[in-house]
Amino acid sequence: MVKDEKLKLINEEGTRIDGRRPDELRPLKIEIGVLDKSDGSAYVELGKTKVFAAVFGPREVHPKHLALPDRAILNCRYHMASFSVDERKPLGMTRREIELSKVIREALESVVFLEEFPRTSIDVYIEVIQADGGTRTAGLTAASLALAEAGIPMADLVAAVAVGKIEGHLVLDLCDLEDKYGEADMPVAMAPRLNSIVLLQLNGRLAKEDFRRALEFAKKGITEIYQKQREALRKKYSGVSLMEV
Ligand code: ADP
């Protein structure tokens, strides 16, 4: 897409279009246990990006012949609501949604102990309610919390954020305009306690030194998100007394 010449994404002082510093996240809100019907659920809001995640399982596999004898199947569906964007979005699953479902599933598979639940499936649904950049990363952040609330054993939570480059500046947590008109967009997801990267994609180009610095930016953002995830989990369970368990 061609950028309007007058549109400045970042000024000389390094202030971005929404007033943030280059290494600043958008306002982050996390809630757990937001849906009744699923075994685990979470809501993540990062600026104007709003995402729900719901988890069912471990439960019986349908159809049965798909069940694996030595581990659970992790199914994942990332979906953007038709009203989540201002353009007309097709009702069915787009190629982009199929691809994102796959990379999100692979990221989650690196932390979930699937071998503990042979012949079952764990189903993760991510529903983007409003999209303003960084929906796959917000979706992953929400999905790992929903898995935690469902009581699925995991090596760590997954926390994720996108980093990128706009008008020559590295920036953390791109909004839609920055994503569209920037030079590069790099979603990163980590299992922070394991210090392990579970998803890394790069759209655009970054020089080697920029890539190294961008990864540092991502780690900083992920540390903040991880902190909030843990706080949200603590808040949910701190009121539960041992008598109730
Ligand atoms: P992510 O949301 O993970 O950053 P993309 O880089 O593919 O994934 O998309 C960036 C942003 O572009 C989205 O968050 C959304 O705001 C916008 N977008 C994506 N798909 C569409 C679409 N079909 N119609 C309108 N906007 C879209």
Side-chain angles (χ1 to χ4, degrees):
M1 204 172 290
V2 186
K3 187 177 128 195
D4 179 348
E5 279 305 307
K6 280 182 251 151
L7 176 68
K8 269 309 265 155
L9 293 173
I10 189 160
N11 69 16
E12 290 72 29
E13 286 84 48
T15 306
R16 293 155 72 178
I17 200 154
D18 54 10
R20 282 185 290 155
R21 298 186 311 273
D23 65 347
E24 197 176 338
L25 288 175
R26 288 174 283 180
L28 171 62
K29 183 173 158 191
I30 293 181
E31 279 179 53
I32 296 166
V34 287
L35 304 169
D36 275 354
K37 311 283 175 183
S38 52
D39 297 317
S41 61
Y43 172 72
V44 169
E45 191 177 296
L46 203 50
K48 291 184 195 151
T49 288
K50 301 180 179 188
V51 179
F52 278 99
V55 166
F56 290 88
R59 64 181 176 180
E60 202 171 300
V61 181
H62 282 291
K64 265 190 176 164
H65 72 267
L66 292 178
L68 299 175
D70 57 342
R71 65 184 176 92
I73 301 170
L74 187 72
N75 293 314
C76 183
R77 193 187 83 141
Y78 160 99
H79 180 250
M80 282 192 2
S82 305
F83 52 81
S84 66
V85 288
D86 47 15
E87 283 167 31
R88 187 183 288 256
K89 188 202 157 273
L91 282 176
M93 288 285 277
T94 60
R95 286 170 68 102
R96 174 180 170 276
E97 287 168 313
I98 293 167
E99 182 211 319
L100 294 196
S101 300
K102 176 180 182 284
V103 294
I104 290 171
R105 171 175 56 74
E106 288 170 348
L108 294 173
E109 277 176 347
S110 33
V111 292
V112 176
F113 293 127
L114 294 172
E115 62 286 358
E116 292 200 13
F117 304 101
R119 299 179 195 284
T120 67
S121 76
I122 298 169
D123 304 322
V124 179
Y125 298 92
I126 293 169
E127 209 58 44
V128 178
I129 301 303
Q130 189 164 279
D132 189 40
T135 59
R136 83 195 65 191
T137 44
L140 257 172
T141 300
S144 79
L145 285 169
L147 283 163
E149 209 225 345
I152 311 281
M154 291 186 284
D156 197 0
L157 289 169
V158 171
V161 74
V163 275
K165 197 169 180 183
I166 53 166
E167 294 168 1
H169 298 255
L170 285 178
V171 289
L172 176 65
D173 186 22
L174 290 83
C175 65
D176 189 25
L177 273 180
E178 294 175 329
D179 182 302
K180 267 202 189 89
Y181 299 121
E183 294 96 274
D185 165 36
M186 185 170 88
V188 182
M190 290 185 71
R193 195 178 61 83
L194 309 177
N195 199 26
S196 144
I197 293 173
V198 294
L199 174 143
L200 193 146
Q201 296 180 290
L202 175 59
N203 188 3
R205 281 167 163 233
L206 283 178
K208 201 170 167 187
E209 180 52 24
D210 278 344
F211 175 78
R212 202 189 54 74
R213 282 188 52 224
L215 210 48
E216 287 306 313
F217 264 50
K219 277 191 182 175
K220 176 186 176 288
I222 283 171
T223 305
E224 285 176 41
I225 294 168
Y226 188 54
Q227 198 64 36
K228 282 263 172 91
Q229 284 177 306
R230 288 164 56 102
E231 269 169 33
L233 279 170
R234 220 173 281 132
K235 192 170 141 205
K236 167 128 208 299
Y237 293 109
S238 62
V240 180
S241 77
L242 279 176
M243 297 300 285
E244 290 174 69
V245 186

